[in-house]
Amino acid sequence: MSIDTETARRVAKLARIKVEDDALPALAQEFSAILGFIEQLNEVDVEGIEPMTSVTPQRLKRRKDVVTDGNQQAAVLKNAPDAREGFFAVPKVVE
Amino acid sequence: MTDLSKLTIASARDALRKGDMSSAELTNAYLGAIEGAGALNAYVHHTPEIAKAQAAAADARIKSGDAPDMCGIPLGIKDLFCTKGVPSQAASGILAGFKPAYESTVTTQLFDAGAVMLGKLNMDEFAMGSSNETSVYGDAVNPWKFDDRELTPGGSSGGSAAAVAADLCLGATGTDTGGSIRQPAAFTGITGIKPTYGRVSRWGVVAFASSLDQAGPMTKDVRDSAIMLEAMCGHDPKDSTSMDLAVPNFEAALTGDIKGKVIGIPKEYRMDGLPVAIEKLWEDGTAMLKDAGAIIREITLPHTKYALPAYYVIAPAEASSNLARYDGVRFGHRAKLDAGDGITEMYEKTRAEGFGAEVQRRVMVGTYVLSAGFYDAYYNRARKVRALIKRDFDQVFAAGVDAILTPATPSAAFGLGEMVDADPIQMYLNDVFTVTVNLAGLPGIAVPAGLDANGLPLGLQLIGRPWEEGDLLNVAYALEQAAGFVAKPQKWW
Protein backbone atom coordinates (compact mmCIF):
# COMPACT_ATOMS: atom_id res chain seq x y z
CA MET A 1 0.00 0.00 0.00
CA SER A 2 1.39 3.38 -0.95
CA ILE A 3 0.84 6.34 1.32
CA ASP A 4 0.55 9.76 -0.29
CA THR A 5 1.58 13.05 1.31
CA GLU A 6 -2.05 13.94 2.05
CA THR A 7 -2.47 10.75 4.09
CA ALA A 8 0.83 11.45 5.87
CA ARG A 9 -0.43 14.92 6.70
CA ARG A 10 -3.70 13.52 8.06
CA VAL A 11 -1.91 10.91 10.21
CA ALA A 12 0.46 13.53 11.63
CA LYS A 13 -2.57 15.67 12.49
CA LEU A 14 -4.32 12.73 14.17
CA ALA A 15 -1.16 11.98 16.16
CA ARG A 16 -0.86 15.68 17.13
CA ILE A 17 2.69 15.91 15.82
CA LYS A 18 3.63 18.96 13.77
CA VAL A 19 5.32 17.93 10.53
CA GLU A 20 6.49 20.64 8.15
CA ASP A 21 5.19 20.44 4.59
CA ASP A 22 8.62 19.75 3.11
CA ALA A 23 9.07 16.74 5.42
CA LEU A 24 5.83 15.05 4.35
CA PRO A 25 7.01 13.27 1.16
CA ALA A 26 9.87 11.50 2.98
CA LEU A 27 7.52 10.57 5.80
CA ALA A 28 4.98 9.16 3.35
CA GLN A 29 7.72 7.07 1.79
CA GLU A 30 8.76 5.65 5.16
CA PHE A 31 5.16 4.80 6.00
CA SER A 32 4.80 3.06 2.66
CA ALA A 33 7.89 0.94 3.33
CA ILE A 34 6.72 -0.03 6.81
CA LEU A 35 3.17 -0.77 5.69
CA GLY A 36 4.53 -2.79 2.78
CA PHE A 37 6.40 -4.91 5.32
CA ILE A 38 3.27 -5.27 7.44
CA GLU A 39 1.24 -6.32 4.40
CA GLN A 40 2.81 -9.81 4.65
CA LEU A 41 0.16 -10.48 7.27
CA ASN A 42 -2.38 -10.79 4.47
CA GLU A 43 -0.78 -14.15 3.54
CA VAL A 44 -1.90 -15.70 6.82
CA ASP A 45 -5.14 -17.64 7.02
CA VAL A 46 -6.84 -16.16 10.09
CA GLU A 47 -10.28 -17.64 9.39
CA GLY A 48 -12.01 -18.44 12.69
CA ILE A 49 -9.17 -17.07 14.86
CA GLU A 50 -10.12 -14.71 17.69
CA PRO A 51 -7.90 -11.62 18.02
CA MET A 52 -5.73 -11.97 21.13
CA THR A 53 -6.82 -9.79 24.03
CA SER A 54 -4.59 -11.16 26.78
CA VAL A 55 -1.42 -13.19 26.36
CA THR A 56 -1.87 -14.95 29.71
CA PRO A 57 -5.34 -16.31 30.22
CA GLN A 58 -6.37 -14.57 33.41
CA ARG A 59 -9.37 -12.80 34.76
CA LEU A 60 -8.41 -9.31 35.87
CA LYS A 61 -8.46 -8.93 39.64
CA ARG A 62 -11.19 -6.88 41.15
CA ARG A 63 -11.05 -4.64 44.15
CA LYS A 64 -13.49 -2.58 46.15
CA ASP A 65 -14.35 0.66 44.37
CA VAL A 66 -13.02 2.92 47.09
CA VAL A 67 -10.63 5.86 47.23
CA THR A 68 -7.13 4.57 48.01
CA ASP A 69 -5.19 7.79 47.94
CA GLY A 70 -5.58 11.51 47.45
CA ASN A 71 -4.74 14.91 48.92
CA GLN A 72 -1.59 15.12 46.84
CA GLN A 73 -2.29 18.23 44.81
CA ALA A 74 1.22 19.62 45.23
CA ALA A 75 2.86 16.34 44.17
CA VAL A 76 0.53 16.01 41.17
CA LEU A 77 1.31 19.54 39.96
CA LYS A 78 5.01 19.46 40.78
CA ASN A 79 6.19 18.43 37.29
CA ALA A 80 3.77 20.61 35.33
CA PRO A 81 5.33 23.06 32.84
CA ASP A 82 2.74 25.62 33.91
CA ALA A 83 0.70 25.23 37.10
CA ARG A 84 -1.26 28.08 38.65
CA GLU A 85 -3.49 28.31 41.68
CA GLY A 86 -3.74 24.57 42.00
CA PHE A 87 -4.50 23.92 38.34
CA PHE A 88 -2.68 22.86 35.16
CA ALA A 89 -2.58 25.94 32.94
CA VAL A 90 -2.99 25.66 29.15
CA PRO A 91 -3.57 28.15 26.33
CA LYS A 92 -7.12 29.42 25.99
CA VAL A 93 -9.40 26.60 24.77
CA VAL A 94 -12.74 28.38 24.42
CA GLU A 95 -13.16 31.85 22.98
CA MET B 1 39.71 -3.79 46.97
CA THR B 2 38.56 -6.81 44.97
CA ASP B 3 38.99 -6.75 41.19
CA LEU B 4 35.55 -5.62 40.01
CA SER B 5 35.89 -7.59 36.79
CA LYS B 6 35.93 -10.85 38.75
CA LEU B 7 33.04 -10.00 41.04
CA THR B 8 29.49 -11.31 40.63
CA ILE B 9 26.33 -10.63 42.62
CA ALA B 10 26.68 -14.10 44.18
CA SER B 11 30.33 -13.67 45.17
CA ALA B 12 29.77 -10.10 46.42
CA ARG B 13 26.81 -11.29 48.49
CA ASP B 14 28.92 -13.98 50.11
CA ALA B 15 31.84 -11.60 50.73
CA LEU B 16 29.54 -8.97 52.24
CA ARG B 17 27.96 -11.50 54.57
CA LYS B 18 31.35 -12.78 55.66
CA GLY B 19 32.49 -9.24 56.34
CA ASP B 20 35.32 -9.49 53.80
CA MET B 21 34.16 -6.20 52.30
CA SER B 22 31.56 -3.56 52.98
CA SER B 23 28.90 -2.26 50.64
CA ALA B 24 30.35 1.23 51.20
CA GLU B 25 33.74 0.08 49.84
CA LEU B 26 32.14 -1.76 46.96
CA THR B 27 29.89 1.18 46.09
CA ASN B 28 32.82 3.61 46.16
CA ALA B 29 34.79 1.34 43.85
CA TYR B 30 31.93 1.34 41.34
CA LEU B 31 31.42 5.11 41.63
CA GLY B 32 35.11 5.49 40.79
CA ALA B 33 34.86 3.13 37.83
CA ILE B 34 31.83 5.04 36.52
CA GLU B 35 33.73 8.32 36.88
CA GLY B 36 36.39 6.98 34.51
CA ALA B 37 33.97 5.52 31.96
CA GLY B 38 32.32 8.62 30.51
CA ALA B 39 33.35 7.49 27.00
CA LEU B 40 30.81 4.65 27.17
CA ASN B 41 27.96 7.08 27.91
CA ALA B 42 26.25 4.29 29.88
CA TYR B 43 25.24 6.35 32.92
CA VAL B 44 23.14 9.39 32.09
CA HIS B 45 22.11 10.47 35.59
CA HIS B 46 24.52 9.86 38.45
CA THR B 47 23.18 9.30 41.97
CA PRO B 48 26.27 8.95 44.20
CA GLU B 49 24.55 10.47 47.27
CA ILE B 50 21.70 7.99 47.08
CA ALA B 51 24.19 5.16 46.48
CA LYS B 52 26.30 6.06 49.51
CA ALA B 53 23.27 6.37 51.79
CA GLN B 54 21.86 3.05 50.58
CA ALA B 55 25.27 1.38 51.00
CA ALA B 56 25.57 2.62 54.58
CA ALA B 57 22.08 1.34 55.35
CA ALA B 58 22.91 -1.99 53.73
CA ASP B 59 26.09 -2.36 55.79
CA ALA B 60 24.10 -1.77 58.99
CA ARG B 61 21.55 -4.34 57.88
CA ILE B 62 24.20 -6.92 57.02
CA LYS B 63 25.80 -6.41 60.45
CA SER B 64 22.44 -6.99 62.12
CA GLY B 65 22.24 -10.35 60.35
CA ASP B 66 19.18 -9.38 58.30
CA ALA B 67 20.55 -9.39 54.78
CA PRO B 68 18.56 -10.49 51.74
CA ASP B 69 20.59 -11.62 48.71
CA MET B 70 20.58 -8.19 47.02
CA CYS B 71 21.57 -6.32 50.18
CA GLY B 72 24.45 -3.95 49.48
CA ILE B 73 24.69 -4.89 45.78
CA PRO B 74 25.38 -1.86 43.51
CA LEU B 75 23.07 -1.70 40.49
CA GLY B 76 22.40 0.53 37.51
CA ILE B 77 18.77 1.37 36.73
CA LYS B 78 17.48 1.82 33.19
CA ASP B 79 16.14 5.34 32.63
CA LEU B 80 12.71 3.83 31.83
CA PHE B 81 12.08 3.13 35.53
CA CYS B 82 10.57 5.93 37.59
CA THR B 83 12.81 6.63 40.55
CA LYS B 84 11.55 9.05 43.16
CA GLY B 85 13.12 12.50 42.95
CA VAL B 86 15.64 11.31 40.33
CA PRO B 87 15.34 12.24 36.62
CA SER B 88 13.45 9.50 34.77
CA GLN B 89 13.26 10.50 31.15
CA ALA B 90 12.98 7.29 29.11
CA ALA B 91 15.88 8.90 27.20
CA SER B 92 13.39 11.35 25.67
CA GLY B 93 13.46 15.11 25.34
CA ILE B 94 9.76 15.18 26.07
CA LEU B 95 10.42 14.12 29.66
CA ALA B 96 13.21 16.66 30.20
CA GLY B 97 13.25 17.73 33.81
CA PHE B 98 10.74 15.09 34.92
CA LYS B 99 11.36 13.86 38.46
CA PRO B 100 8.75 11.33 39.56
CA ALA B 101 7.06 11.79 42.92
CA TYR B 102 6.92 7.99 43.25
CA GLU B 103 9.09 4.91 42.91
CA SER B 104 8.43 2.05 40.45
CA THR B 105 7.47 -1.28 42.02
CA VAL B 106 10.61 -2.98 40.67
CA THR B 107 13.00 -0.42 42.14
CA THR B 108 10.98 -0.33 45.36
CA GLN B 109 11.42 -4.11 45.69
CA LEU B 110 15.13 -3.94 44.87
CA PHE B 111 15.73 -1.12 47.37
CA ASP B 112 13.63 -2.91 50.02
CA ALA B 113 15.97 -5.85 49.49
CA GLY B 114 18.91 -3.53 50.22
CA ALA B 115 20.19 -2.93 46.69
CA VAL B 116 22.19 0.24 45.93
CA MET B 117 21.40 2.52 42.96
CA LEU B 118 24.49 3.96 41.27
CA GLY B 119 22.58 5.94 38.66
CA LYS B 120 20.27 5.85 35.67
CA LEU B 121 21.29 4.11 32.46
CA ASN B 122 21.14 5.11 28.81
CA MET B 123 18.63 3.49 26.43
CA ASP B 124 16.80 4.06 23.17
CA GLU B 125 14.11 6.73 23.43
CA PHE B 126 10.99 5.15 24.98
CA ALA B 127 12.75 1.80 24.45
CA MET B 128 12.20 2.10 20.70
CA GLY B 129 15.38 0.99 19.00
CA SER B 130 17.92 -1.79 18.70
CA SER B 131 21.16 0.18 18.87
CA ASN B 132 20.78 2.86 21.57
CA GLU B 133 21.11 5.47 18.82
CA THR B 134 17.68 7.05 19.36
CA SER B 135 18.56 8.34 22.85
CA VAL B 136 18.32 12.04 23.67
CA TYR B 137 21.55 11.53 25.67
CA GLY B 138 23.48 10.35 22.60
CA ASP B 139 24.69 6.83 21.80
CA ALA B 140 25.78 4.41 24.49
CA VAL B 141 28.97 2.66 23.37
CA ASN B 142 29.78 -1.05 23.53
CA PRO B 143 32.88 -1.78 25.64
CA TRP B 144 33.75 -4.43 23.03
CA LYS B 145 35.66 -3.15 20.04
CA PHE B 146 37.43 -4.34 16.94
CA ASP B 147 39.35 -2.41 14.29
CA ASP B 148 39.04 0.57 16.61
CA ARG B 149 35.44 1.06 15.53
CA GLU B 150 32.89 2.13 18.11
CA LEU B 151 30.14 -0.48 18.24
CA THR B 152 26.57 -0.39 19.42
CA PRO B 153 25.84 -2.13 22.72
CA GLY B 154 22.43 -2.99 21.21
CA GLY B 155 19.13 -1.66 22.36
CA SER B 156 16.99 -0.63 23.80
CA SER B 157 18.72 -1.53 27.09
CA GLY B 158 22.11 -0.49 25.66
CA GLY B 159 23.31 1.48 28.68
CA SER B 160 22.41 -1.43 30.96
CA ALA B 161 24.34 -3.88 28.78
CA ALA B 162 27.40 -1.62 28.46
CA ALA B 163 27.45 -0.94 32.22
CA VAL B 164 27.34 -4.63 33.17
CA ALA B 165 29.89 -5.66 30.52
CA ALA B 166 32.29 -2.87 31.52
CA ASP B 167 32.02 -3.65 35.26
CA LEU B 168 30.26 -0.38 36.07
CA CYS B 169 27.71 -2.22 38.25
CA LEU B 170 27.05 -5.78 39.39
CA GLY B 171 23.72 -5.92 37.60
CA ALA B 172 21.26 -3.65 35.84
CA THR B 173 17.55 -3.51 35.27
CA GLY B 174 16.43 -3.82 31.69
CA THR B 175 13.09 -3.95 29.90
CA ASP B 176 12.14 -6.03 26.89
CA THR B 177 9.28 -5.35 24.47
CA GLY B 178 10.69 -7.10 21.39
CA GLY B 179 14.19 -8.14 22.46
CA SER B 180 15.49 -5.13 24.36
CA ILE B 181 17.10 -7.18 27.14
CA ARG B 182 18.25 -10.19 25.13
CA GLN B 183 19.73 -8.47 22.05
CA PRO B 184 21.97 -6.04 24.02
CA ALA B 185 22.95 -8.87 26.37
CA ALA B 186 24.08 -10.90 23.35
CA PHE B 187 25.95 -7.92 21.86
CA THR B 188 27.96 -7.37 25.05
CA GLY B 189 28.65 -10.92 26.26
CA ILE B 190 26.37 -10.85 29.29
CA THR B 191 23.22 -12.67 30.43
CA GLY B 192 19.72 -11.20 30.37
CA ILE B 193 16.31 -12.72 31.00
CA LYS B 194 12.87 -11.49 30.00
CA PRO B 195 10.45 -13.24 32.33
CA THR B 196 6.93 -14.46 31.54
CA TYR B 197 4.53 -11.58 30.84
CA GLY B 198 2.95 -10.72 34.19
CA ARG B 199 5.84 -12.02 36.33
CA VAL B 200 7.26 -8.56 37.04
CA SER B 201 5.14 -5.50 37.80
CA ARG B 202 5.07 -2.81 35.13
CA TRP B 203 3.91 -0.15 37.59
CA GLY B 204 6.16 2.90 37.43
CA VAL B 205 7.92 1.70 34.27
CA VAL B 206 7.33 4.16 31.42
CA ALA B 207 4.98 2.28 29.07
CA PHE B 208 5.89 1.52 25.45
CA ALA B 209 3.63 -1.40 24.41
CA SER B 210 1.79 -2.57 27.48
CA SER B 211 0.87 -6.06 26.27
CA LEU B 212 4.52 -6.82 25.44
CA ASP B 213 6.64 -4.89 27.99
CA GLN B 214 8.40 -6.86 30.75
CA ALA B 215 11.29 -5.88 32.97
CA GLY B 216 14.13 -8.23 33.83
CA PRO B 217 17.71 -8.39 35.09
CA MET B 218 20.90 -8.02 33.05
CA THR B 219 23.86 -9.61 34.79
CA LYS B 220 27.26 -11.22 34.33
CA ASP B 221 26.01 -14.78 34.60
CA VAL B 222 22.97 -17.02 34.96
CA ARG B 223 23.21 -17.34 38.74
CA ASP B 224 23.16 -13.57 39.13
CA SER B 225 20.13 -13.34 36.85
CA ALA B 226 18.35 -15.91 39.04
CA ILE B 227 19.15 -13.96 42.20
CA MET B 228 18.20 -10.55 40.82
CA LEU B 229 15.07 -11.79 39.02
CA GLU B 230 13.72 -13.22 42.26
CA ALA B 231 14.02 -9.80 43.90
CA MET B 232 12.21 -8.11 40.97
CA CYS B 233 9.29 -10.57 40.70
CA GLY B 234 5.98 -10.82 42.45
CA HIS B 235 2.35 -9.85 42.39
CA ASP B 236 1.59 -6.14 42.51
CA PRO B 237 -1.97 -4.92 43.06
CA LYS B 238 -0.99 -1.73 41.21
CA ASP B 239 -0.48 -3.67 37.94
CA SER B 240 -3.67 -5.50 36.99
CA THR B 241 -1.73 -7.74 34.58
CA SER B 242 0.75 -8.88 37.19
CA MET B 243 0.11 -12.51 38.11
CA ASP B 244 -0.74 -13.49 41.67
CA LEU B 245 1.66 -16.38 41.82
CA ALA B 246 4.27 -17.40 44.38
CA VAL B 247 7.86 -16.49 43.42
CA PRO B 248 10.09 -19.57 43.59
CA ASN B 249 13.70 -19.60 44.73
CA PHE B 250 15.23 -19.38 41.26
CA GLU B 251 18.81 -19.84 42.44
CA ALA B 252 17.87 -23.16 44.06
CA ALA B 253 16.72 -24.37 40.63
CA LEU B 254 20.30 -24.17 39.28
CA THR B 255 21.38 -27.79 39.55
CA GLY B 256 22.90 -27.99 36.09
CA ASP B 257 21.15 -31.33 35.65
CA ILE B 258 19.18 -31.33 32.39
CA LYS B 259 19.19 -35.07 31.74
CA GLY B 260 16.08 -36.07 29.80
CA LYS B 261 14.97 -32.47 29.16
CA VAL B 262 13.60 -32.03 25.66
CA ILE B 263 15.14 -29.11 23.77
CA GLY B 264 13.35 -27.94 20.65
CA ILE B 265 15.25 -26.59 17.63
CA PRO B 266 12.80 -24.60 15.49
CA LYS B 267 13.51 -25.08 11.79
CA GLU B 268 11.92 -21.73 10.87
CA TYR B 269 14.73 -19.91 12.68
CA ARG B 270 17.22 -21.23 10.13
CA MET B 271 16.91 -18.11 8.01
CA ASP B 272 18.49 -17.42 4.66
CA GLY B 273 21.59 -15.30 4.98
CA LEU B 274 22.30 -16.21 8.59
CA PRO B 275 26.03 -15.65 9.16
CA VAL B 276 28.09 -18.84 9.32
CA ALA B 277 29.38 -17.90 12.79
CA ILE B 278 25.83 -17.72 14.17
CA GLU B 279 24.85 -21.00 12.53
CA LYS B 280 27.91 -22.69 14.01
CA LEU B 281 27.24 -21.21 17.44
CA TRP B 282 23.71 -22.61 17.32
CA GLU B 283 24.99 -26.06 16.29
CA ASP B 284 27.63 -25.98 19.02
CA GLY B 285 25.03 -24.98 21.61
CA THR B 286 22.77 -27.81 20.50
CA ALA B 287 25.65 -30.27 20.84
CA MET B 288 26.49 -28.94 24.31
CA LEU B 289 22.95 -29.49 25.57
CA LYS B 290 22.91 -32.95 24.01
CA ASP B 291 26.20 -33.81 25.72
CA ALA B 292 24.67 -32.65 29.00
CA GLY B 293 21.97 -35.29 28.58
CA ALA B 294 19.17 -33.34 26.93
CA ILE B 295 17.09 -34.81 24.14
CA ILE B 296 17.25 -32.68 20.98
CA ARG B 297 14.11 -32.48 18.88
CA GLU B 298 13.51 -30.59 15.65
CA ILE B 299 10.29 -28.58 15.99
CA THR B 300 8.19 -26.32 13.83
CA LEU B 301 6.81 -22.87 14.70
CA PRO B 302 5.10 -22.19 11.37
CA HIS B 303 4.06 -18.57 11.96
CA THR B 304 7.54 -17.32 12.92
CA LYS B 305 7.89 -15.35 9.69
CA TYR B 306 4.89 -13.20 10.59
CA ALA B 307 6.07 -12.24 14.07
CA LEU B 308 7.95 -9.08 13.05
CA PRO B 309 5.17 -7.68 10.86
CA ALA B 310 2.60 -8.43 13.59
CA TYR B 311 4.87 -6.78 16.13
CA TYR B 312 5.21 -3.67 13.96
CA VAL B 313 1.44 -3.27 14.03
CA ILE B 314 0.78 -4.10 17.69
CA ALA B 315 3.72 -2.30 19.30
CA PRO B 316 3.24 1.04 17.45
CA ALA B 317 -0.54 0.84 18.02
CA GLU B 318 -0.06 0.48 21.76
CA ALA B 319 2.70 3.10 21.72
CA SER B 320 0.50 5.65 19.95
CA SER B 321 -2.04 5.20 22.72
CA ASN B 322 0.46 5.15 25.61
CA LEU B 323 2.40 8.15 24.35
CA ALA B 324 -0.73 10.28 23.96
CA ARG B 325 -0.13 11.38 27.56
CA TYR B 326 2.92 13.44 26.52
CA ASP B 327 1.05 16.58 25.67
CA GLY B 328 2.97 19.33 27.48
CA VAL B 329 0.33 19.72 30.17
CA ARG B 330 1.15 17.60 33.21
CA PHE B 331 4.88 16.89 33.01
CA GLY B 332 7.95 17.26 30.89
CA HIS B 333 8.60 19.54 27.96
CA ARG B 334 6.20 22.18 26.62
CA ALA B 335 7.06 24.01 23.39
CA LYS B 336 7.40 27.76 23.40
CA LEU B 337 4.27 29.08 21.75
CA ASP B 338 3.73 31.90 19.28
CA ALA B 339 1.11 34.59 19.73
CA GLY B 340 -2.29 33.22 18.82
CA ASP B 341 -1.31 29.54 19.29
CA GLY B 342 -4.08 27.51 20.87
CA ILE B 343 -4.05 24.18 22.64
CA THR B 344 -3.79 22.13 19.43
CA GLU B 345 -0.64 24.03 18.38
CA MET B 346 0.71 23.46 21.87
CA TYR B 347 0.23 19.67 21.54
CA GLU B 348 1.62 19.53 18.02
CA LYS B 349 4.69 21.68 18.63
CA THR B 350 5.44 20.04 21.97
CA ARG B 351 5.31 16.54 20.52
CA ALA B 352 7.30 17.51 17.41
CA GLU B 353 10.06 19.02 19.57
CA GLY B 354 9.99 16.43 22.36
CA PHE B 355 9.87 13.15 20.43
CA GLY B 356 12.77 11.97 18.29
CA ALA B 357 12.36 10.72 14.72
CA GLU B 358 11.90 7.01 15.49
CA VAL B 359 9.34 7.67 18.22
CA GLN B 360 7.41 10.03 15.94
CA ARG B 361 7.48 7.42 13.19
CA ARG B 362 6.11 4.68 15.45
CA VAL B 363 3.44 6.88 17.01
CA MET B 364 2.22 7.84 13.55
CA VAL B 365 2.30 4.26 12.22
CA GLY B 366 0.32 3.25 15.31
CA THR B 367 -2.14 6.07 14.72
CA TYR B 368 -2.57 4.95 11.12
CA VAL B 369 -3.20 1.26 11.87
CA LEU B 370 -5.76 2.19 14.52
CA SER B 371 -7.53 4.80 12.40
CA ALA B 372 -11.07 4.36 11.10
CA GLY B 373 -11.18 2.04 8.13
CA PHE B 374 -7.84 0.34 8.86
CA TYR B 375 -8.41 -1.05 12.34
CA ASP B 376 -9.67 -4.41 11.11
CA ALA B 377 -7.25 -4.74 8.21
CA TYR B 378 -4.17 -4.07 10.34
CA TYR B 379 -4.71 -4.12 14.07
CA ASN B 380 -7.25 -6.92 14.37
CA ARG B 381 -5.44 -9.03 11.78
CA ALA B 382 -2.17 -8.60 13.69
CA ARG B 383 -3.86 -9.68 16.92
CA LYS B 384 -5.17 -12.79 15.17
CA VAL B 385 -1.70 -13.61 13.86
CA ARG B 386 -0.40 -13.07 17.37
CA ALA B 387 -2.86 -15.69 18.62
CA LEU B 388 -1.49 -18.10 16.00
CA ILE B 389 2.10 -17.40 17.01
CA LYS B 390 1.23 -18.20 20.62
CA ARG B 391 -0.60 -21.33 19.51
CA ASP B 392 2.56 -22.54 17.72
CA PHE B 393 4.42 -22.41 21.04
CA ASP B 394 1.52 -23.92 23.02
CA GLN B 395 1.48 -26.93 20.70
CA VAL B 396 5.22 -27.46 20.95
CA PHE B 397 5.16 -27.31 24.74
CA ALA B 398 2.10 -29.57 24.88
CA ALA B 399 4.08 -32.11 22.86
CA GLY B 400 6.64 -32.30 25.67
CA VAL B 401 9.28 -29.74 24.73
CA ASP B 402 10.86 -28.17 27.83
CA ALA B 403 12.83 -25.35 26.24
CA ILE B 404 13.67 -24.01 22.78
CA LEU B 405 17.18 -23.09 21.63
CA THR B 406 17.74 -20.37 19.02
CA PRO B 407 20.35 -17.75 18.22
CA ALA B 408 19.75 -14.51 20.18
CA THR B 409 20.56 -12.18 17.30
CA PRO B 410 21.18 -12.49 13.54
CA SER B 411 24.64 -10.84 13.86
CA ALA B 412 27.26 -9.62 16.30
CA ALA B 413 27.28 -5.96 17.40
CA PHE B 414 27.50 -3.56 14.46
CA GLY B 415 29.16 -0.17 14.23
CA LEU B 416 27.48 2.95 15.59
CA GLY B 417 26.17 5.01 12.69
CA GLU B 418 26.31 2.07 10.26
CA MET B 419 22.55 1.74 10.01
CA VAL B 420 21.79 5.45 9.70
CA ASP B 421 20.97 5.27 6.00
CA ALA B 422 19.30 1.88 6.12
CA ASP B 423 15.52 1.84 5.99
CA PRO B 424 13.85 1.30 9.38
CA ILE B 425 12.95 -2.30 8.58
CA GLN B 426 16.63 -3.29 8.40
CA MET B 427 16.99 -2.20 12.02
CA TYR B 428 13.79 -4.03 12.97
CA LEU B 429 15.33 -7.32 11.74
CA ASN B 430 17.62 -7.30 14.79
CA ASP B 431 14.68 -8.63 16.79
CA VAL B 432 13.77 -11.46 14.43
CA PHE B 433 14.64 -14.21 16.96
CA THR B 434 13.44 -12.47 20.10
CA VAL B 435 10.15 -10.80 19.14
CA THR B 436 8.14 -14.05 18.96
CA VAL B 437 8.76 -14.54 22.67
CA ASN B 438 7.13 -11.19 23.59
CA LEU B 439 4.17 -11.86 21.33
CA ALA B 440 3.63 -15.21 23.07
CA GLY B 441 4.32 -13.79 26.56
CA LEU B 442 7.00 -16.42 27.25
CA PRO B 443 10.21 -16.25 29.28
CA GLY B 444 13.41 -15.97 27.21
CA ILE B 445 17.06 -15.72 28.21
CA ALA B 446 20.19 -14.75 26.28
CA VAL B 447 23.40 -16.49 27.31
CA PRO B 448 26.84 -15.62 25.90
CA ALA B 449 28.16 -18.69 24.10
CA GLY B 450 31.10 -17.73 21.91
CA LEU B 451 33.03 -15.17 19.88
CA ASP B 452 32.91 -14.42 16.18
CA ALA B 453 35.94 -14.11 13.89
CA ASN B 454 36.41 -10.49 15.00
CA GLY B 455 36.46 -11.49 18.65
CA LEU B 456 32.99 -10.10 19.35
CA PRO B 457 30.57 -11.92 21.66
CA LEU B 458 27.62 -13.93 20.36
CA GLY B 459 24.65 -15.15 22.36
CA LEU B 460 22.17 -17.99 22.26
CA GLN B 461 18.58 -17.70 23.35
CA LEU B 462 16.59 -20.23 25.34
CA ILE B 463 12.80 -19.92 25.44
CA GLY B 464 10.85 -21.56 28.26
CA ARG B 465 7.34 -22.54 29.25
CA PRO B 466 5.24 -19.79 30.84
CA TRP B 467 5.93 -19.31 34.58
CA GLU B 468 8.79 -21.82 34.52
CA GLU B 469 11.68 -19.38 34.72
CA GLY B 470 13.38 -21.66 37.27
CA ASP B 471 13.54 -24.52 34.80
CA LEU B 472 14.62 -22.17 32.01
CA LEU B 473 17.39 -20.68 34.14
CA ASN B 474 18.60 -24.19 34.90
CA VAL B 475 18.88 -25.10 31.21
CA ALA B 476 20.66 -21.76 30.67
CA TYR B 477 22.98 -22.63 33.55
CA ALA B 478 23.85 -25.97 31.94
CA LEU B 479 24.53 -24.19 28.63
CA GLU B 480 26.68 -21.59 30.42
CA GLN B 481 28.71 -24.32 32.12
CA ALA B 482 29.29 -26.10 28.83
CA ALA B 483 30.06 -22.97 26.80
CA GLY B 484 32.52 -21.69 29.41
CA PHE B 485 32.37 -18.13 28.06
CA VAL B 486 34.87 -16.05 30.03
CA ALA B 487 36.03 -13.41 27.53
CA LYS B 488 35.95 -9.76 28.64
CA PRO B 489 36.34 -6.58 26.61
CA GLN B 490 39.79 -4.96 26.68
CA LYS B 491 39.58 -1.73 28.67
CA TRP B 492 40.00 1.27 26.31
CA TRP B 493 37.67 3.77 27.95
Side-chain angles (χ1 to χ4, degrees), chain B residues 42-56:
Chain B
Y43 282 86
V44 291
H45 298 288
H46 298 252
T47 56
E49 295 80 15
I50 293 174
K52 284 174 186 170
Q54 286 174 329

Side-chain angles (χ1 to χ4, degrees), chain A residues 40-47, chain B residues 303 306 381 384-385 388:
Chain A
Q40 290 177 68
L41 295 177
N42 292 332
E43 299 165 12
V44 186
D45 179 7
V46 293
E47 192 59 38
Chain B
H303 295 91
Y306 302 105
R381 176 166 280 269
K384 288 177 186 175
V385 173
L388 289 169

